Amino acid sequence: MPDLAIFQRDFAEALMADGQSGPSFRSQAFAVYRNTSARGVVEALRASYPTIDMLLGDEAFTQVALEYRRDRPPAGPVLSDYGREFASFLGRQPWTCELPYVADVALLDWLWLESFLASDEAPVPNQFAGNARIALHPSARFAWLSTPAMTIWLAHRDPWSMAELEPDWVEEGALFARPGHSVRAELIDPPLHRMLTECIVPASVADVVTNVASAFPTADVPSLLRRGVASGALILT
Amino acid sequence: MTPTAGLSFKPVHYEQAMACPAAGLWFEVHAENYMVEGGPRLAMLETLRGQFPLSLHGVGLSLAGIDEPDRDHLGRFKRLVDRFEPFLVSEHLAWSRYDGTSFPDLLPFPRTSEALDVITRNIDITQSALGRQILIENPSLYMQLEGHEWAESLFLAELVKRTGCGLLIDVNNVFVSATNLGFNPLSYLDALPRGVIGEIHLAGHSPDPLLGRSLLIDSHDAPICDEVWQLYGWLLARCGTDRPPTLIERDDHIPEFDVLLAERDKAAAMMAGHREVVHA
């Protein structure tokens, strides 16, 4: 093994070793590297998960972020790519049994980020197509959650509503889309969630309407369609 | 307008930046912060680029890493270069990736002939992929490492000779490394090859919380200190009439735009030869 590779292997191991490494890595000077690389990862995760940072507080977030880093260190240098599995990691932590919404809120932070950074290039509408089709905007992200995580997430984005936050313990749907420069976030109901799911693969409007109407016979499907388009999540092509 | 002194771009200063009439002003961003598909971040950079020259400063290619630069990352870098047509592209004499794990830092290595071959290969790959010259920045160093075969100035000179890259000399990094490792910063600067410095960085640093001023941290969170301004004046004088574009870097404790602009104006005045601002 070349000397440079041996040096980098030992240095990289010591960076991840929390001060348990060999004598040459015990200096305060080495600690600058260890602290900088750890802090860089923690702060990248904090920037991507601002609501989790608010829910847990600065100190607890740092602890959890360091545990996540041990489990899943960054694979690349683009920090906004980092943290994709943080929500499922949180869901596996024993302490989240008492805070079952935390993993769902983390998922919502990630979906917001994906929507924020998604491509601007929407499918081009084709008004001459005989069979109108419908597709998701590249920035559309949605989820169905077993906790009222979206109500909690929305409240943390709007400090005025925090004081009144007493969510009903029900399942919720969440939708994010960025038709222009800012991400719109909203609660959605099961029929709209079903409609969005039907559009993951671009489909004909007629098929989508039929499938949603048969799953939810009482739903006002045309109004759902209008709502999906108005949110920026659905595009008629 | 020829770019003179510039600022690292902070989105929080976007409106003041766009309205700033300073002659020769330009901006630099970390390339990795813009390696995204779309959205307001890229749109803002595009508007800025419409008005000012732009420099892309990479922090993640790990040129001193034992592995070749990641092809996917190079592809993303190339797309940014093609879209924003920067007048400068730079990276670091450092590594930040080993065996699939990335470290958000610029890590040191023994400057051996083996390392020289590896970095030469990696700069060649990068310049071919980007289709242009890059500048290589000297790092801030904190630790004495064993096994150096090359002085850093001479190592950089050899990279320039082998690859045709240029140099980005960070004067604060020279000062921080010289303090931490105990060498003379003027001797370091004087050993650099002439005519190949394509950019200069100036920034602030802070003392280590435990060791104080015997260990300086390249924190980019403070004003540029007098010693760094003096070294900058000395380096400009050595560059003669070929004065490289100079960047004021600030990444933490970001002050008002005007505070950064005042540091930038001081550098621009020094570049223009107003010697009265040099306290050397």
Side-chain angles (χ1 to χ4, degrees), chain A residues 35 50 69 85 95 104 133 154 160 203 213:
Chain A
N35 295 344
R69 172 175 178 257
E85 298 90 2
W95 56 268
D104 283 347
R133 294 176 71 79
L154 287 166
W160 293 107

Side-chain angles (χ1 to χ4, degrees), chain B residues 170 172-173 203-205 217-222 249-252:
Chain B
D170 186 316
N172 181 58
N173 289 359
H205 54 257
I217 316 286
D218 177 32
S219 48
H220 294 188
D221 62 351
E249 283 187 299
R250 189 67 169 257
D251 294 317
D252 212 344

Side-chain angles (χ1 to χ4, degrees), chain B residues 238-254:
Chain B
R238 184 177 183 270
C239 289
T241 53
D242 184 22
R243 296 180 170 186
T246 299
L247 183 86
I248 310 300
E249 283 187 299
R250 189 67 169 257
D251 294 317
D252 212 344
H253 299 159
I254 313 263

Side-chain angles (χ1 to χ4, degrees), chain A residues 1-4 7-9 11 15 24 28-29 32-33 36-37 41 74-78 81 116-120 178 181, chain B residues 32 37-40 43 60 64-66 73 76 95 98 100-105 107-109 114 142-143 208 210-211 217:
Chain A
M1 196 173 186
D3 290 346
L4 184 61
F7 173 84
Q8 292 182 353
R9 179 197 64 196
F11 202 97
L15 285 175
S24 60
Q28 182 61 15
V32 175
Y33 294 110
T36 302
S37 58
V41 174
V78 178
D81 291 348
F116 182 70
L117 301 176
S119 170
D120 304 300
R178 199 195 74 232
H181 281 331
Chain B
E32 282 72 11
E37 292 296 310
I66 196 76
H73 190 69
R76 293 167 88 175
W95 62 285
Y98 180 79
T101 295
S102 274
F103 300 92
D105 199 3
L107 302 170
F109 60 92
E114 180 206 350
Y142 304 105
M143 266 179 102
D208 181 76
L210 288 182
L211 298 185
I217 316 286

Side-chain angles (χ1 to χ4, degrees), chain A residues 117-141:
Chain A
L117 301 176
S119 170
D120 304 300
E121 290 172 28
V124 181
N126 180 357
Q127 300 182 347
F128 301 102
N131 186 7
R133 294 176 71 79
I134 189 163
L136 289 175
H137 187 275
S139 69
R141 298 289 185 279

Side-chain angles (χ1 to χ4, degrees), chain A residues 6-208:
Chain A
I6 292 168
F7 173 84
Q8 292 182 353
R9 179 197 64 196
D10 294 348
F11 202 97
E13 278 177 11
L15 285 175
M16 297 296 285
D18 290 341
Q20 305 300 312
S21 41
S24 60
F25 297 118
R26 285 188 193 146
S27 68
Q28 182 61 15
F30 179 76
V32 175
Y33 294 110
R34 197 175 53 232
N35 295 344
T36 302
S37 58
R39 194 175 60 241
V41 174
V42 169
E43 294 313 315
L45 209 58
R46 200 189 307 279
S48 296
Y49 290 94
T51 319
I52 298 302
D53 187 33
M54 282 188 263
L55 282 172
L56 300 185
D58 187 74
E59 206 170 314
F61 186 93
T62 300
Q63 280 309 314
V64 177
L66 287 171
E67 286 162 25
Y68 180 70
R69 172 175 178 257
R70 274 192 288 278
D71 194 60
R72 295 252 174 187
V78 178
L79 293 174
S80 58
D81 291 348
Y82 183 60
R84 176 176 298 280
E85 298 90 2
F86 191 49
S88 53
F89 174 83
L90 289 174
R92 293 196 301 275
Q93 304 311 302
W95 56 268
T96 54
C97 287
E98 301 188 6
L99 304 166
Y101 52 86
V102 165
D104 283 347
V105 172
L107 175 67
L108 297 175
D109 272 344
W110 187 256
L111 295 181
W112 183 94
L113 184 70
E114 284 198 338
S115 182
F116 182 70
L117 301 176
S119 170
D120 304 300
E121 290 172 28
V124 181
N126 180 357
Q127 300 182 347
F128 301 102
N131 186 7
R133 294 176 71 79
I134 189 163
L136 289 175
H137 187 275
S139 69
R141 298 289 185 279
F142 55 93
W144 192 256
L145 310 157
S146 59
T147 63
M150 187 58 167
T151 297
I152 295 167
W153 188 92
L154 287 166
H156 283 79
R157 296 274 160 150
D158 174 12
W160 293 107
S161 65
M162 286 275 280
E164 296 159 22
L165 181 59
E166 286 179 30
D168 295 330
W169 205 258
V170 293
E171 295 186 4
E172 285 185 348
L175 170 64
F176 302 91
R178 199 195 74 232
H181 281 331
S182 52
V183 177
R184 292 164 51 158
E186 57 184 301
L187 274 166
I188 55 172
D189 53 17
L192 183 53
H193 181 263
R194 175 61 183 262
M195 178 172 281
L196 293 163
T197 307
E198 292 282 336
C199 299
I200 290 173
V201 176
S204 81
V205 174
D207 286 350
V208 170

